[in-house]
Amino acid sequence: RFKTGTALTVIAVMMASQGLANEELREFALEMFSPLPSTVPALNDNIVTPEKVDLGKALFFDPRMSASGVFSCNSCHNLATGGDDNMPTSIGHGWQKGPRNSPTVLNSVFNEAQFWDGRAPDLAEQAKGPVQAGVEMANTPVNVIATLNSMPQYQEWFRASFPEDDDPVTFDNFARAIEAYEATLITPAPFDAWLNGNDAAMTEQEVRGLSAFLNAGCASCHSGVNLGGNGYYPFGLIEKPGAEILPEGDKGRFAVTETVGDEYVFRASPLRNIAVTAPYFHSGVVWDLKVAVEIMAESQLGAELSEEEVTDIVAFLGALTGEVPEVTYPVLPAETASTPRPTG
Ligand code: HEM
Ligand code: HEM
């Protein structure tokens, strides 16, 4: 009896210290990261209404927003496969290969700026890019508006979404509706439950991985709600990776600011859902998350992590895979005699 009692005491003490360790780790983690909010965040100059979200969803899935009638946003940001296309770099108009890997749209509303180089300040500004990009949807705003206006159902949806506007079918409103839809694409993960106080939400290995991630210094760049998406750093801060990973032609933020110090500077990538969005980096050449973590440790921190640390960090990154909102495939308005025909 005595022995059993001692054993129980030892276990109780161990559990208490484990609990304490968890509590300290959580406190520290909460200084670096924030759990996902449980509601859709407020947008700048764009009130989120159910009508607008539904319209944005239709636009997100409508391939007629591209010149060829082939590509929708969902082609490269497939909501069934982590909000990206799982290709090294995207295939767009005329089977052209784009220059960069497609980032996930999931939780993108929490990025402080959009694109690998942060050239769009928000999702509404961002949404105007791909429609016009020659290697993506190769369309023009005029043709998008003509397409939308040719379908009475779209006109009605725009009126319901922007009741205060006399002429609601505009390219700005097209982008606002898509932004409102994207703002609903948020994916609470085990890490959020853990941050919110649920010790059981992460496994021991995932918790060890979180410690390793913090100890190694990853969170000095990958912090905040999205564990990234909120700051710019040279890719190769300590040691430049090889040209296959960091192609010379893409100088990142330099193209935005034209400041010499911004050569090969990129946005620290948001890491939510990273386990389901291979391949990695803007060049999309690394398929193995373990390898991506090793490259980061060497190039950004000048550190060589142990095999165990890398495996644990990868396990922790797995705890960032969240629950994707249920998506019902939308039925889109039928085209009419005046709908512009596909080209190219
Ligand atoms: C980037 C949304 C169409 C490929 C992004 C980002 C968002 C987004 C939110 C930034 C994410 C981030 O920085 O974390 C959309 C929407 C589309 C659309 C709303 C439809 C209007 C497409 C299409 C393709 C594509 C059709 C492929 C042909 C890419 C690529 C990037 C990107 C390669 C990264 C580009 C860079 O950083 O320079 N998209 N996208 N997107 N998207 Fe799309
Ligand atoms: C990208 C993890 C440390 C800055 C990435 C990616 C991963 C990652 C997995 C690829 C994201 C994707 O393809 O979507 C880590 C880990 C770290 C770490 C586990 C610690 C061992 C850092 C540090 C910095 C940093 C300390 C800043 C000095 C960046 C940047 C990118 C990135 C700029 C984008 C690279 C590109 O242009 O392709 N990180 N990171 N990371 N990280 Fe880290």
Side-chain angles (χ1 to χ4, degrees):
R1 271 193 66 187
F2 178 77
K3 265 194 177 159
T4 318
T6 311
L8 283 178
T9 311
V10 169
I11 290 169
V13 169
M14 273 171 61
M15 282 174 64
S17 69
Q18 181 62 39
L20 192 65
N22 260 330
E23 219 27 71
E24 270 172 26
L25 182 61
R26 180 175 290 119
E27 252 171 55
F28 185 50
L30 280 168
E31 284 174 24
M32 307 303 294
F33 314 112
S34 308
L36 273 188
S38 53
T39 52
V40 174
L43 302 172
N44 192 18
D45 190 27
N46 192 8
I47 298 161
V48 180
T49 61
E51 291 80 4
K52 213 183 272 181
V53 169
D54 284 349
L55 169 62
K57 177 180 175 187
L59 297 170
F60 188 91
F61 280 94
D62 197 333
R64 294 165 304 185
M65 299 303 110
S66 65
S68 63
V70 173
F71 298 97
S72 71
C73 310
N74 195 64
S75 305
C76 302
H77 303 285
N78 195 322
L79 298 180
T81 59
D84 71 344
D85 57 10
N86 306 119
M87 311 262 284
T89 65
S90 299
I91 303 282
H93 189 76
W95 210 252
Q96 292 175 84
K97 236 186 199 155
R100 286 181 181 163
N101 177 262
S102 160
T104 181
V105 289
L106 300 174
N107 310 297
S108 56
V109 66
F110 299 112
N111 294 333
E112 279 177 22
Q114 304 298 324
F115 292 122
W116 289 94
D117 52 18
R119 68 185 180 279
D122 56 42
L123 289 172
E125 230 7 76
Q126 192 287 327
K128 297 176 188 172
V131 183
Q132 303 179 72
V135 296
E136 295 184 357
M137 299 164 88
N139 213 343
T140 61
V142 169
N143 198 53
V144 169
I145 298 310
T147 304
L148 293 169
N149 270 325
S150 73
M151 295 179 254
Q153 178 74 82
Y154 263 126
Q155 291 189 4
E156 201 176 295
W157 285 345
F158 271 86
R159 274 196 298 276
S161 302
F162 301 95
E164 66 288 359
D165 288 14
D166 294 336
D167 175 19
V169 188
T170 64
F171 199 49
D172 278 339
N173 285 346
F174 160 90
R176 284 196 185 100
I178 290 180
E179 177 181 49
Y181 177 56
E182 287 175 315
T184 68
L185 301 177
I186 57 187
T187 66
F191 181 53
D192 297 296
W194 187 90
L195 277 179
N196 287 328
N198 180 359
D199 281 342
M202 292 210 297
T203 66
E204 263 174 47
Q205 189 186 22
E206 288 163 355
V207 173
R208 270 203 319 274
L210 166 62
S211 291
F213 187 89
L214 289 165
N215 288 338
C218 313
S220 55
C221 302
H222 298 279
S223 61
V225 179
N226 269 355
L227 297 89
N230 56 358
Y232 304 103
Y233 306 90
F235 187 10
L237 180 66
I238 307 292
E239 200 181 309
K240 249 188 175 184
E244 71 288 2
I245 291 165
L246 183 62
E248 271 174 30
D250 188 345
K251 294 193 177 168
R253 206 156 161 73
F254 176 74
V256 184
T257 65
E258 293 184 6
T259 306
V260 178
D262 280 342
E263 283 188 359
Y264 304 106
V265 165
F266 291 87
R267 188 189 63 179
S269 305
L271 297 182
R272 285 185 179 270
N273 298 300
I274 193 73
V276 294
T277 57
Y280 301 112
F281 301 124
H282 66 269
S283 48
V285 290
V286 175
W287 284 92
D288 185 344
L289 187 50
K290 230 178 123 193
V291 175
V293 169
E294 283 162 353
I295 291 172
M296 270 287 127
E298 281 164 31
S299 67
Q300 305 306 104
L301 294 159
E304 201 166 320
L305 300 176
S306 71
E307 174 75 23
E308 199 192 346
E309 281 169 322
V310 175
T311 319
D312 289 350
I313 288 177
V314 168
F316 163 62
L317 294 176
L320 300 175
T321 304
E323 199 178 322
V324 180
E326 196 173 328
V327 180
T328 316
Y329 206 85
V331 175
L332 301 172
E335 41 297 353
T336 63
S338 62
T339 303
R341 299 298 161 220
T343 53

